[in-house]
Amino acid sequence: MRVGVKFCGGCNPRYDRSGELDKILSHFEKDSDAFAADHAEKGKALFGFAKEGGAYDVLLVICGCNNQCASTDDYTFGKKISIGETGNIPMVVRLITEYRDEEAQGA
Amino acid sequence: MALMTGAEYIESLRKLNTQVYMFGQKIDNWVDHPIIKPSINCVAITYDLAHDPEYADLMTATSNLTGNKINRFSHLHQSTDDLRKKVKMQRLLGQKTASCFQRCVGMDAFNSVFSTTYECDKVHGTHYHENFKKYLTYIQDNDLIVDGAMTDPKGDRGLAQGAQADPDLFVHIVEKREDGIVVRGAKAHQTGSINSHEHLIMPTQAVSEGDKKYAVAFAIESDAEGLFMVYGRQSCDTRKLEKDADVDLGNKKFGGQEALVVFDDVFIPNDRIFLCEEYDFAGMLVERFAGYHRQSYGGCKVGVGDVLIGAAALVADYNGAQKASHIKDKLIEMTHLNETLYCCGIACSAEGYPTEAGNYQIDLLLANVCKQNVTRFPYEIVRLAEDIAGGLMVTMPSQADFRSDLKIPTKSDLSLGEWTTKFFKGVADVPTENRMRILRFIENIALGASAVGYRTESMHGAGSPQAQRIMIARQGNLAAKKELAKVIAGIVD
Ligand SMILES: Cc1cc2nc3c(=O)[nH]c(=O)nc-3n(C[C@H](O)[C@H](O)[C@H](O)COP(=O)(O)OP(=O)(O)OC[C@H]3O[C@@H](n4cnc5c(N)ncnc54)[C@H](O)[C@@H]3O)c2cc1C
Ligand code: SF4
């Protein structure tokens, strides 16, 4: 499963957005030890920065505040998880785990 | 061409043959000149952040002209969302540089020339809009920096263009040829002009029929024949020439830049002309540019304010005063003022509307209110920062003293560095140098080189306070407000 990571532009973030990503990634270390994965593997959540025009199973949008103004028009994706202010790591981890396991079971 | 990196931008400047003068001399290698370098670094970061996934959403946009990904600074705003993202991008860059990053004037000029040429062509049957679209496509495709040049030297402020003792005090057409025009005059206070690839020239004020040779807008390369620039010096600028002065500089890496740009009979080919004697459109162009630029300050100055508030909070920590209730309250007040400016920038963007040409214009009344606040609040924010900092920000010895091994022949036999480090320590667990660094940073913004951008530019850039008051009076609709009061009060005339 490919997880594309997209940041908002970060004009006035209320928390450390890349720090939050690191924390999320730490929950999926077993799936992949490399960020910027450009391929998909069933049963594994492989993360990478979303590239313009790219297709992702999950688009993870990390926004600095609840305005969540990041644009996602340039990507195609199955599911989208967008986070605003901090405190959402458990929710993100739960959702990505669910999507990953659902995909693995579907195989 | 893909978006340039900061390094590629700096290399692109080396290829220009721009004529620069400073301190009475011609500066051949201005790209590496220590006084100019910080302003080049500032522009370079507008390129680098466009490649950074953490910031690209604000720093880039999709061109309506070509469909390509471009730097947002070259973008024609396509929606109120674009207008808001512009302000957010400017706040971000203010935070990253604590300086004027110089690329906004060009962006504001693009958007105002785009819509004005469209309307001018409709009335006069001219073809300036096509000229401009072609020009902007070239700028976007090559990711170039353009100085948005409006302000003339203006001579006697009480006289119109044509009534000046010296006709060159406003840029004007001196010759019309088959293939173009020849222009003469100068533009003063030009932000980032030396490290721009191009200049986009607009009239400085409305023009009457008798003065129509002053109604001229055009684009010109920085190294065109007959064009030269004189660097505007800044407070404390020669500190940049000192060796090992990074503490004393306050902001070693970044800074702003203004220069006088002189046109001594410069030829402008037809396809780079966007207004040529259509005096009835000069006022529209000025008003639109000023409107966009008044919006801009609701972003860039807020970003610098963010850093200054952070610095004031840090110095309070280093001084051991952070728990005092009045210090906490002053930091709240600084934040309140800063966010109020941001509110204005966002509000005039959210209330934007499409022009006839299709790009989006800000709400003029709210943009003028935004800039009017900018002429005041940064002064109060900086006053509070100076209050919190204490007097040392202007009385401390130099970095050379703090680093000196020179033994002082007194009983303790300590060096000059040891003495100064000892006596300028604040709280015990913070190195003296950190305290000095943050104090010098505040000095830099309050009355050093960056005060140009944070204070005086806030006052006069995009128009002096009275210019906004005139617009507020014009847009305020006092007559309707009187009617409201009459209805509620039951007054029937
Ligand atoms: C740091 C900085 C950066 C700038 N960058 C740019 C730039 O990139 N591009 C650009 O085009 N311009 C730029 N400007 C210029 C800016 O727009 C002008 O400074 C502003 O329009 C005021 O003009 P002035 O400085 O000539 O002051 P003046 O016009 O001399 O104004 C001084 C005072 O006199 C008053 N005054 C002037 N004329 C009259 C009159 N006729 N009647 C009544 N009162 C009058 C003003 O209201 C003001 O109070 C910049 C300015 C600064 C300070
Ligand atoms: S989501 Fe919030 S922090 Fe991020 S760019 Fe938008 S407004 Fe700024």
Side-chain angles (χ1 to χ4, degrees), chain B residues 105 148-151 154 157 189-191 258 457 460 462-464:
Chain B
V105 274
M150 178 158 277
T151 313
K154 296 187 292 197
R157 270 60 178 161
H189 322 281
Q190 290 311 299
T191 293
E258 279 76 31
E457 191 176 47
H460 289 292
S464 311

Side-chain angles (χ1 to χ4, degrees), chain B residues 15-128:
Chain B
K15 298 194 183 111
L16 299 173
N17 183 28
T18 309
Q19 309 295 306
V20 179
Y21 295 83
M22 188 189 343
F23 297 149
Q25 287 179 341
K26 182 158 185 297
I27 310 293
D28 290 324
N29 181 10
W30 50 268
V31 177
D32 297 309
H33 195 287
I35 290 190
I36 301 179
K37 191 81 188 168
S39 64
I40 295 178
N41 291 339
C42 240
V43 180
I45 200 171
T46 69
Y47 285 96
D48 282 335
L49 291 189
H51 293 275
D52 188 328
E54 274 204 59
Y55 306 108
D57 190 70
L58 289 180
M59 295 299 308
T60 60
T62 302
S63 168
N64 64 305
L65 299 176
T66 63
N68 296 335
K69 190 60 76 182
I70 54 168
N71 195 295
R72 188 174 292 280
F73 278 106
S74 310
H75 187 47
L76 294 166
H77 316 300
Q78 296 300 300
S79 60
T80 52
D81 195 43
D82 269 350
L83 288 172
R84 280 195 299 271
K85 284 198 166 175
K86 170 196 165 186
V87 173
K88 291 179 183 187
M89 169 181 73
Q90 290 168 314
R91 180 170 190 169
L92 169 70
L93 284 162
Q95 292 169 347
K96 295 289 179 196
T97 61
S99 303
C100 167
F101 37 86
Q102 307 148 56
R103 212 171 164 177
C104 314
V105 274
M107 166 177 51
D108 293 338
F110 299 149
N111 276 278
S112 30
V113 173
F114 181 78
S115 62
T116 306
T117 50
Y118 183 89
E119 289 174 49
C120 179
D121 286 358
K122 251 177 54 179
V123 172
H124 291 284
T126 43
H127 48 268
Y128 301 140

Side-chain angles (χ1 to χ4, degrees), chain B residues 294-313:
Chain B
R294 289 169 194 176
Q295 169 211 26
S296 284
Y297 283 26
C300 66
K301 303 303 176 213
V302 178
V304 180
D306 285 327
V307 193
L308 183 57
I309 294 166

Side-chain angles (χ1 to χ4, degrees), chain A residues 6-13 17-18 49 52 67 69-71 74, chain B residues 53-58 62 69 85 88-89 91-92 95 306 339 342:
Chain A
K6 159 83 183 176
F7 284 110
C8 74
C11 71
N12 196 22
R17 295 170 304 147
S18 51
F49 286 128
E52 209 181 305
N67 187 282
C69 71
S71 151
D74 291 335
Chain B
E54 274 204 59
Y55 306 108
D57 190 70
L58 289 180
T62 302
K69 190 60 76 182
K85 284 198 166 175
K88 291 179 183 187
M89 169 181 73
R91 180 170 190 169
L92 169 70
Q95 292 169 347
D306 285 327
E339 298 296 344
Y342 186 57

Side-chain angles (χ1 to χ4, degrees), chain B residues 103-323:
Chain B
R103 212 171 164 177
C104 314
V105 274
M107 166 177 51
D108 293 338
F110 299 149
N111 276 278
S112 30
V113 173
F114 181 78
S115 62
T116 306
T117 50
Y118 183 89
E119 289 174 49
C120 179
D121 286 358
K122 251 177 54 179
V123 172
H124 291 284
T126 43
H127 48 268
Y128 301 140
H129 192 63
E130 279 311 309
N131 281 357
F132 185 70
K133 280 198 329 201
K134 209 174 102 201
Y135 175 71
L136 188 59
T137 303
Y138 162 74
I139 297 299
Q140 291 181 346
D141 286 352
N142 292 284
D143 203 9
L144 300 180
I145 301 286
V146 179
D147 158 36
M150 178 158 277
T151 313
D152 292 275
K154 296 187 292 197
D156 183 336
R157 270 60 178 161
L159 298 175
Q161 296 94 329
Q164 298 287 335
D166 180 349
D168 298 345
L169 291 171
F170 288 82
V171 171
H172 60 287
I173 302 160
V174 288
E175 191 188 339
K176 284 170 96 176
R177 296 186 194 161
E178 197 65 356
D179 52 348
I181 54 173
V182 176
V183 297
R184 190 186 298 161
K187 292 287 178 186
H189 322 281
Q190 290 311 299
T191 293
S193 52
I194 290 171
N195 39 240
S196 292
H197 303 98
E198 294 264 338
H199 304 262
L200 179 49
I201 311 300
M202 300 159 285
T204 209
Q205 60 197 44
V207 179
S208 65
E209 187 175 4
D211 283 338
K212 65 181 183 186
K213 66 179 178 185
Y214 293 96
V216 62
F218 57 88
I220 184 75
E221 302 91 345
S222 275
D223 56 359
E225 203 183 327
L227 192 158
F228 66 92
M229 296 179 231
V230 188
Y231 191 89
R233 77 170 307 178
Q234 299 173 331
S235 170
C236 308
D237 51 8
T238 48
R239 283 191 195 182
K240 293 177 197 162
L241 300 173
E242 293 171 18
K243 269 185 95 182
D244 302 324
D246 61 308
V247 177
D248 291 347
L249 282 170
N251 185 348
K252 182 186 169 197
K253 189 161 183 203
F254 299 114
Q257 173 208 110
E258 279 76 31
L260 177 76
V261 184
V262 179
F263 306 87
D264 189 15
D265 287 2
V266 175
F267 175 71
I268 314 295
N270 280 332
D271 62 352
R272 282 178 162 245
I273 298 174
F274 313 125
L275 195 70
C276 182
E277 295 188 345
E278 293 77 12
Y279 64 92
D280 46 336
F281 281 88
M284 177 188 284
L285 187 48
V286 174
E287 194 173 285
R288 289 188 178 173
F289 173 79
Y292 282 124
H293 211 42
R294 289 169 194 176
Q295 169 211 26
S296 284
Y297 283 26
C300 66
K301 303 303 176 213
V302 178
V304 180
D306 285 327
V307 193
L308 183 57
I309 294 166
L314 269 179
V315 83
D317 291 347
Y318 295 174
N319 288 347
Q322 76 277 21
K323 293 201 180 109

Side-chain angles (χ1 to χ4, degrees), chain A residues 3-6 48-52 56 59 75:
Chain A
V3 184
V5 177
K6 159 83 183 176
F49 286 128
K51 294 196 185 90
E52 209 181 305
Y56 301 91
L59 189 68
Y75 316 96

Side-chain angles (χ1 to χ4, degrees), chain B residues 438-463:
Chain B
I438 208 68
L439 286 166
R440 285 289 183 216
F441 173 77
I442 295 172
E443 180 202 27
N444 174 255
I445 292 196
L447 38 86
S450 293
V452 174
Y454 195 59
R455 293 175 62 120
T456 315
E457 191 176 47
S458 292
M459 179 66 76
H460 289 292

